[in-house]
Amino acid sequence: MSNGAFPKIADPTLEPELIRRCYQSMITSRVLESKLSSLYKAGKIVGGVYLGTGQEAISGSLGVLLKRGRDIFSPLIRDQAGRIAFEEDLLDATRTYLGSAQGPMRGRDGNVHRGRPLEGMPAMISHLGVGLSLVTGMLLARRLKGALTGVVGGTSVGDGATSTGSFHEGLNMAAVEKLPLVVVVADNQFAYSTPRERQFACKSLLERAAGYGVSGFEVDGTDFIACLQTVKQAVDSARAGGGPQLVVARLLRLCGHGEHDDASYVPPELRDSNLGRDCLEVARAQLLDMGMVTESEISAWQDEATERVQEAVAIAQKERGPDPYQEDWRATSTSGMQS
Amino acid sequence: MSLTYIDAIHQAQAELLRDDDSVFLYGQDIGAFGGAFKATKGLKEIYPERVLDAPISEDAMIGLSVGAAIEGMKPIIEMQFADFSSVAFNQLVNQAGTHYYRTGVPVPITVRMPCGGTPGSGPFHSQMIESLYGHYPGLVVVTPATVSDAYHLLKQSVNLPDPVIFCEHKFLYRWLKSEKIEETNLPLSKARIVRSGKHATVVTYSAMVHEAVRAAEKLEKEGWEIEVVDLRSIKPLDTDCVISSVARTGRLLALGESFPWGGVTAEVVSRVVAEGFHLLDAPPMRLNAKDTPIPYHPDLWAAHRPTPESIIQKLRELLSL
């Protein structure tokens, strides 16, 4: 960590319980992802493992500020912390990664491609930027049903996704409809291996907000309290009828694109810079400094996370994968549509 | 009082909006303007909240429809021209098409695709797209050829819990008229024998049904009895109807307006050969548009797609074997 000087006073609008819950989600996410990485390296997970190391603060902030059962959260690849904060069951993660037939995706899709669409959490596809219009459609449906009051739809992307046509079309569409969409951009310096200067030419992605006619925020994505404060402002503003919000968090992905990638393209000086701080360490120092949590509580949360993760992995590992002979091999809900 | 093909689409949408609050229309210029082809004329005035103009964002239009469908709505998306759906290809095949299989949650979207050629429309306002979407799992693809089918199939499509690519042929919009909407119990998945015959079967769909009938009428004067099968939906494809027709005639011509490489006509031929080889008295044939972009000039355009003349020529060849 580069320094220990953090704001002493937390935002009075941030409830201590919310701050603590977010940090706990971040801890649990780190423990879970570390376990998933081990399972991948041991050959127990097929395909890939994609972590959100270093992005837990911004992801968790969005997840914790959205309410399961009311709001919509459309997570992307590096949102394990946000998923936990939005109360996704750890079993959904372990079952999907380990290919259990009992998971929400039943082995039909894997790893981060999971969700519970009917509970406000769509399952991402790999093509970037498409979540913006999807959430916009979910919000439009709520408006048409007269059930939009107080609802926010949040989604995450990385800096790479901002180069897609889908991102542009989706944000513009949400802005035209003035829907409560909060888009969090984790500007994590690299899209896979491509540095941001090969991705876009504006100084900051924040500049994009004005072009779409939406509110824009920029935040140090390594600063836990700042992330919570900023995302809260954006979510509150969307909830109050302020239309779409764009939050850009500057940070560094502290892992490879996936666990197959050693991220050797990240220059050491960037790792050593302020961007390379670990948001979990920053959060720990901030919360201890504010007296919001004690060392022993953190330690207990770590232990609890380890136990919960072990249990979720153990359950999923015992479960059967899908049986190709029992599979109905049907891509439509109506029978007879494939002939 | 006669009704055109586009009137039938308008009427179906008006009734769907009237009868079901979960139906809404979204597309470019479909609001006060009533749509490029007037398929939504006047509907915005009656249902201001549920007939919405979209920005020129085909990708996001489909993304929005899938999101709304997850939340229980039945969106009807008007693609201004089917050609522009290439911009939405990703959302159609990867978002909409995979959704039920991946998550178990069906997404009842209907995408109206004004397709097919009209004179002077050129390469980017004339395309047929049914083969493209038929290739992908999770999408239902319907291709109405008659006024009544335009009406019934649109209503059935919207009430189907799965994504439907609704291919409405622009050439039929105002040219094709009917005294009334015929009552029918025929499900979307079933083909229809338009004209019965015993010497050869033409399997086709959409506007080519009418070209095939014209060809058949001319050949009838020479004593040939040509059976014409209208597939109505190309996915699902009513193989039973096709095979039983070939069983009666022994000869097959698969006819389509789309490009010749692969596609519906190739699928029809391959199914008949695989499942009904013994029924064939001659090698099955295909006739499609030419393998070039669709030309602008009316003379080139008319020769690019199958015509009654080129269909007759192909049928003569088939009947001579």
Side-chain angles (χ1 to χ4, degrees):
Chain A
M1 207 181 310
S2 61
N3 64 68
F6 300 108
K8 197 107 183 145
I9 304 154
D11 188 325
T13 64
L14 282 175
E15 293 162 24
E17 200 38 51
L18 183 108
I19 299 174
R20 285 161 56 90
R21 199 154 63 80
C22 189
Y23 179 50
Q24 199 178 356
S25 300
M26 291 161 62
I27 289 174
T28 310
S29 173
R30 186 68 65 89
V31 171
L32 172 62
E33 291 198 333
S34 160
K35 181 70 184 170
L36 292 171
S37 173
S38 302
L39 288 166
Y40 173 74
K41 286 167 184 161
K44 305 281 187 194
I45 291 175
V46 182
V49 166
Y50 304 91
L51 308 185
T53 322
Q55 302 193 186
E56 290 93 341
I58 191 66
S59 174
S61 295
L62 183 59
V64 83
L65 287 159
L66 300 172
K67 190 171 163 49
R68 184 79 176 254
R70 177 188 62 193
D71 295 323
I72 295 155
F73 177 43
S74 178
L76 208 73
I77 178 171
R78 308 198 193 284
D79 277 319
Q80 185 57 56
R83 287 171 181 272
I84 294 171
F86 193 64
E87 297 174 32
E88 182 191 52
D89 196 325
L90 294 190
L91 271 173
D92 279 11
T94 57
R95 282 172 163 160
T96 306
Y97 263 110
L98 289 158
S100 161
Q102 291 182 53
M105 311 310 282
R106 301 156 292 158
R108 293 177 174 194
D109 208 341
N111 52 64
V112 289
H113 300 104
R114 63 179 194 268
R116 293 191 177 265
L118 296 179
E119 296 170 36
M121 192 160 63
M124 61 167 279
I125 67 169
S126 301
H127 303 65
L128 296 173
V130 298
L132 276 75
S133 58
L134 188 87
V135 177
T136 298
M138 294 173 83
L139 292 168
L140 180 72
R142 302 272 180 106
R143 173 185 284 169
L144 291 171
K145 290 189 283 189
L148 187 65
T149 310
V151 171
V152 170
T155 190
S156 306
V157 291
D159 46 285
T162 66
S163 307
T164 65
S166 281
F167 175 88
H168 165 71
E169 289 193 8
L171 187 49
N172 180 61
M173 183 173 276
V176 167
E177 291 293 342
K178 299 182 177 57
L179 286 163
L181 175 73
V182 175
V183 181
V184 168
V185 181
D187 180 4
N188 67 9
Q189 314 304 311
F190 292 90
Y192 206 153
S193 76
T194 303
R196 64 204 286 283
E197 62 268 22
R198 299 299 305 167
Q199 200 67 243
F200 52 88
C202 47
K203 276 202 190 80
S204 163
L205 290 167
L206 177 67
E207 293 171 18
R208 300 264 176 99
Y212 290 106
V214 305
S215 304
F217 302 86
E218 197 168 28
V219 65
D220 175 351
T222 69
D223 183 335
F224 172 60
I225 293 295
C227 283
L228 265 176
Q229 285 172 330
T230 307
V231 177
K232 181 162 196 308
Q233 251 184 294
V235 169
D236 286 352
S237 170
R239 223 183 277 291
Q245 316 283 318
L246 182 69
V247 179
V248 179
R250 282 170 290 103
L251 49 89
L252 179 68
R253 175 189 358 117
L254 301 180
C255 53
H257 168 60
E259 284 305 273
H260 57 277
D261 169 27
D262 65 4
S264 54
Y265 43 80
V266 179
E269 54 273 23
L270 199 53
R271 293 181 199 272
D272 295 339
S273 76
N274 211 47
L275 284 173
R277 297 193 303 180
D278 182 346
C279 64
L280 256 115
E281 286 180 32
V282 175
R284 178 192 175 93
Q286 285 178 324
L287 296 198
L288 287 171
D289 200 37
M290 291 188 294
M292 205 165 274
V293 63
T294 63
E295 292 274 9
S296 62
E297 272 181 308
I298 294 174
S299 172
W301 285 350
Q302 288 277 2
D303 293 346
E304 189 191 327
T306 307
E307 203 172 307
R308 285 180 62 203
V309 166
Q310 273 171 354
E311 191 191 350
V313 168
I315 291 172
Q317 274 187 318
K318 271 185 239 152
E319 289 169 353
R320 285 175 191 273
D323 179 353
Y325 298 100
Q326 296 297 316
E327 182 80 3
D328 68 6
W329 297 111
R330 214 169 78 191
T332 54
S333 70
T334 318
S335 61
M337 288 296 140
Q338 281 171 297
S339 60
Chain B
M1 171 70 192
S2 71
L3 203 70
T4 64
Y5 185 92
I6 193 85
D7 292 338
I9 290 167
H10 184 279
Q11 187 180 326
Q13 293 189 113
E15 291 174 12
L16 285 157
L17 283 164
R18 181 195 66 198
D19 298 340
D20 188 344
D21 287 344
S22 63
V23 171
F24 74 98
L25 315 187
Y26 192 64
Q28 295 157 23
D29 306 299
I30 68 162
F33 186 65
F37 299 102
K38 303 300 168 202
T40 58
K41 193 180 177 188
L43 296 178
K44 175 82 180 171
E45 288 164 37
I46 311 171
Y47 309 100
E49 311 284 314
R50 289 191 286 139
V51 181
L52 299 169
D53 282 319
I56 304 175
S57 299
E58 288 82 7
D59 174 293
M61 283 159 60
I62 301 302
L64 174 141
S65 72
V66 174
I70 289 170
E71 292 282 322
M73 302 297 289
K74 295 176 187 165
I76 302 175
I77 302 299
E78 179 175 309
M79 212 38 83
Q80 194 159 77
F81 285 83
D83 313 57
F84 303 151
S85 74
S86 55
V87 179
F89 187 70
N90 174 40
Q91 295 269 19
L92 284 166
V93 306
N94 291 313
Q95 188 89 273
T98 67
H99 203 267
Y100 171 73
Y101 182 74
R102 295 168 65 239
T103 68
V105 178
V107 283
I109 69 169
T110 301
V111 186
R112 289 185 38 237
M113 301 273 201
C115 64
T118 50
S121 294
F124 313 115
H125 292 75
S126 306
Q127 292 168 30
M128 298 292 285
I129 41 75
E130 68 288 343
S131 294
L132 203 58
Y133 295 112
H135 179 71
Y136 277 86
L139 302 174
V140 173
V141 184
V142 302
T143 49
T146 68
V147 173
S148 295
D149 267 353
Y151 171 87
H152 290 296
L153 288 176
L154 182 51
K155 284 195 137 184
Q156 288 177 36
S157 297
V158 172
N159 286 308
L160 201 72
D162 296 296
V164 180
I165 305 295
F166 187 85
C167 304
E168 46 189 66
H169 202 292
K170 300 194 296 292
F171 193 71
L172 304 180
Y173 272 167
R174 302 195 185 282
W175 170 80
L176 197 64
K177 294 188 178 78
S178 174
E179 282 311 303
K180 60 176 177 119
I181 305 282
E182 306 288 341
E183 291 297 317
T184 178
N185 294 320
L186 199 60
L188 175 150
S189 58
K190 295 292 176 200
R192 187 171 58 98
I193 309 288
V194 179
R195 192 181 192 285
S196 48
K198 59 183 180 189
H199 296 122
T201 294
V202 180
V203 174
T204 188
Y205 54 96
S206 191
M208 280 296 139
V209 168
H210 305 283
E211 308 298 339
V213 167
R214 283 196 191 99
E217 282 167 356
K218 285 189 181 168
L219 285 172
E220 191 176 22
K221 292 176 185 139
E222 300 169 24
W224 295 112
E225 294 175 33
I226 308 298
E227 182 147 306
V228 177
V229 175
D230 172 8
L231 290 174
R232 298 175 74 246
S233 68
I234 64 98
K235 190 170 188 180
L237 200 160
D238 188 353
T239 313
D240 290 349
C241 179
V242 170
I243 300 266
S244 58
S245 175
V246 172
R248 285 189 289 275
T249 65
R251 283 177 165 77
L252 169 69
L253 172 64
L255 170 68
E257 189 181 328
S258 56
F259 300 125
W261 202 98
V264 176
T265 57
E267 183 69 24
V268 168
V269 168
S270 91
R271 289 183 187 207
V272 169
V273 169
E275 296 174 41
F277 188 72
H278 59 290
L279 303 170
L280 289 164
D281 296 329
M285 290 189 170
R286 295 171 63 206
L287 183 62
N288 281 91
K290 295 190 193 306
D291 194 15
T292 68
I294 299 154
Y296 154 74
H297 194 280
D299 293 348
L300 290 178
W301 171 75
H304 181 271
R305 71 203 287 258
T307 58
E309 291 69 34
S310 65
I311 298 166
I312 288 170
Q313 196 181 2
K314 203 76 182 169
L315 281 170
R316 282 194 205 287
E317 198 184 331
L318 180 65
L319 292 162
S320 74
L321 294 169

